[in-house]
Amino acid sequence: MPHTINAPDTPDGPVTAGPVTAADLPALRRRTSGVLIASQILGGLGVPIGIALAPVLATRVSGSEALSGLAPTASVTGTALLSLPLAALMTSRGRRPGLVLAYLIGALGAGLVVLATVVESFPLLLLGMAGFGAGSSANLQARFAAADLAEPDRRGRAISTVIWATTIGSVLGPNIAAPAGRVFRGTAVSETAGPFVWAAGIFLLAAVVVAVLLRPDPLLTARALAPQENRSADGRSLRAGLAAVRASPMARLALVTVTVSHTAMVSIMVMTPVDLGHHGADLQLIGLVISGHIAGMYAFSPVMGWLADRFGRLTVIGLAAGLLALAALLAGTAGAAHGRTAAGLFVLGLGWSAGLVAGSALLTDSVPQAARAAVQGLSDLTMNASAGIGGAVAGVIVSQAGYGWLNLTGACLLLPMAALALRRSLTHRATA
């Protein structure tokens, strides 16, 4: 007789329309992956618009280049601040309501950015970018939703497949900025702010896709399939998540990996458009460089997932450290050589992909199922808060010392991650 689990009712409604059997899981995994891929494509169209244009908008609205890093920093900060509330919502009610709310807040933030440029209010611009960061929160949390129902030896590939889906939208996003902006020529909305109208619509569409199609909820279904690991709500609290990280050296390494990889990437990336502008690059060239960077981030993530599953999480974490260091060397010494800057940003994306995929898979492996949603929210809070600080400091470093020094600083951030990975690898081999 097949093993069945009756999914419990939740405040959001029943997890499934009926009992879940082991035979249902392959089809359920494919359906969940398909919905998450669709939402990632849409989210990928919206988020890069902010990446490419936020520093430019901040400079124009504030009148100060030194403040240009604050707009992308506000976005990253918004992503960080929303991580715990969204994690708490997902912990209690599942992935679907959390993802929907994140996309809706992202759409509202994009609208505030447009309004801020019309009324020329820098504080309102920062508030809008903070809300816009919720779109990134949704995209980041989707990778964990993909892992909820994945088999343990395929988690890296499940995470990387959803990350890969962002490639389609993310590569197109920066390149549609210019034509999307021209639509508003002659209106009160500037051409630079116009693409944020597009982003708001895209986030709303992504919210609808998730709300309608992400059923049954993958997190609640995973809990129903492992009731012995979910005996009480206390075990799913954020405090329990923090305790789970403290108890696991591998979880701590995973947390450091995603935090350092993301912080180094964001700090260098957000100031690259400004440096390119210093060396004569126009908006179209900046868009191409950012597109190449985002292609590095997402297009090769399935390779990183396969490597993480085949050769181990620690091996790919070491690869991430090497790629990120190489990227800092290339970009930091490029000067007016735009091709070298583009190569550096592409490798920067590859390093981020390796760190995020391997770190996320290791984090999921290293904590109990009941605490995973809380730990994953803590991970996103830590990585985005650190990246927010890094982005703010990046603007100061570039204005005072230069882009090369920023890249050197980013490379130095990698040292603790590499040291911890080496230590855990040596310990693992000694006990194997």
Side-chain angles (χ1 to χ4, degrees):
M1 182 175 179
H3 181 56
T4 63
I5 304 95
N6 289 311
D9 287 345
T10 72
D12 195 41
V15 177
T16 64
V20 177
T21 70
D24 295 330
L25 283 177
L28 186 54
R29 290 185 184 116
R30 289 192 297 271
R31 174 181 171 82
T32 299
S33 179
V35 175
L36 293 172
I37 285 172
S39 68
Q40 286 293 92
I41 292 173
L42 293 170
L45 280 169
V47 171
I49 288 173
I51 294 173
L53 298 179
V56 180
L57 276 179
T59 300
R60 291 184 180 179
V61 174
S62 70
S64 171
E65 188 176 280
L67 298 177
S68 61
L70 290 183
T73 298
S75 178
V76 174
T77 302
T79 303
L81 292 176
L82 288 166
S83 296
L84 287 185
L86 290 173
L89 178 60
M90 291 182 190
T91 297
S92 63
R93 300 188 64 183
R95 299 290 185 191
R96 186 166 57 88
L99 292 175
V100 170
L101 179 61
Y103 280 126
L104 291 177
I105 295 173
L108 176 61
L112 289 178
V113 168
V114 176
L115 178 61
T117 62
V118 173
V119 300
E120 298 185 350
S121 170
F122 188 62
L124 185 60
L125 175 69
L126 296 182
L127 178 62
M129 288 304 304
F132 186 84
S136 293
S137 293
N139 283 0
L140 288 170
Q141 282 291 324
R143 77 192 192 277
F144 290 126
D148 286 334
L149 296 173
E151 297 164 300
D153 62 349
R154 295 187 63 87
R155 281 184 185 136
R157 277 166 280 190
I159 290 169
S160 64
T161 298
V162 172
I163 293 175
W164 170 85
T166 314
T167 308
I168 300 172
S170 294
V171 172
L172 291 176
N175 292 293
I176 64 172
R182 285 195 292 268
V183 172
F184 294 90
R185 185 174 294 170
T187 70
V189 177
S190 69
E191 290 188 40
T192 309
F196 281 89
V197 178
W198 165 269
I202 288 296
F203 286 155
L204 288 174
L205 181 57
V208 171
V209 168
V210 172
V212 173
L213 299 179
L214 193 62
R215 299 170 183 269
D217 188 283
L219 178 59
L220 300 183
T221 302
R223 286 179 180 165
L225 291 169
Q228 70 279 4
E229 297 186 34
N230 299 279
R231 294 175 182 173
S232 72
D234 291 340
R236 302 195 295 265
S237 69
L238 294 175
R239 182 177 298 178
L242 184 58
V245 172
R246 287 175 179 163
S248 171
M250 285 297 193
R252 293 197 297 271
L253 170 60
L255 194 61
V256 169
T257 297
V258 295
T259 298
V260 169
S261 299
H262 194 59
T263 301
M265 184 277 291
V266 170
S267 300
I268 294 171
M269 179 270 297
V270 296
M271 295 312 298
T272 299
V274 175
D275 183 69
L276 287 169
H278 286 163
H279 293 99
D282 58 14
L283 186 60
Q284 183 174 2
L285 178 58
I286 291 172
L288 288 173
V289 171
I290 295 299
S291 290
H293 166 66
I294 295 173
M297 290 173 66
Y298 300 119
F300 295 90
S301 58
V303 176
M304 302 303 177
W306 180 82
L307 290 173
D309 286 340
R310 176 66 178 82
F311 297 103
R313 320 308 193 205
L314 295 176
T315 300
V316 180
I317 289 172
L319 174 63
L323 288 170
L324 291 167
L326 176 60
L329 175 64
L330 289 171
T333 59
H338 298 323
R340 188 165 184 167
T341 301
L345 266 288
F346 175 74
V347 176
L348 185 70
L350 287 178
W352 175 89
S353 179
L356 190 73
V357 170
S360 298
L362 181 61
L363 188 67
T364 303
D365 294 341
S366 304
V367 297
Q369 200 282 333
R372 281 176 190 162
V375 170
Q376 290 156 357
L378 178 65
S379 170
D380 282 357
L381 168 67
T382 305
M383 65 185 274
N384 285 294
S386 299
I389 295 170
V393 174
V396 176
I397 293 175
V398 169
S399 64
Q400 298 298 317
Y403 183 67
W405 282 98
L406 171 63
N407 281 270
L408 178 60
T409 303
C412 289
L413 291 176
L414 302 172
L415 294 176
M417 172 180 125
L420 279 174
L422 179 60
R423 180 182 178 183
R424 297 315 313 166
S425 180
L426 294 174
T427 302
H428 179 70
R429 289 178 184 177
T431 57

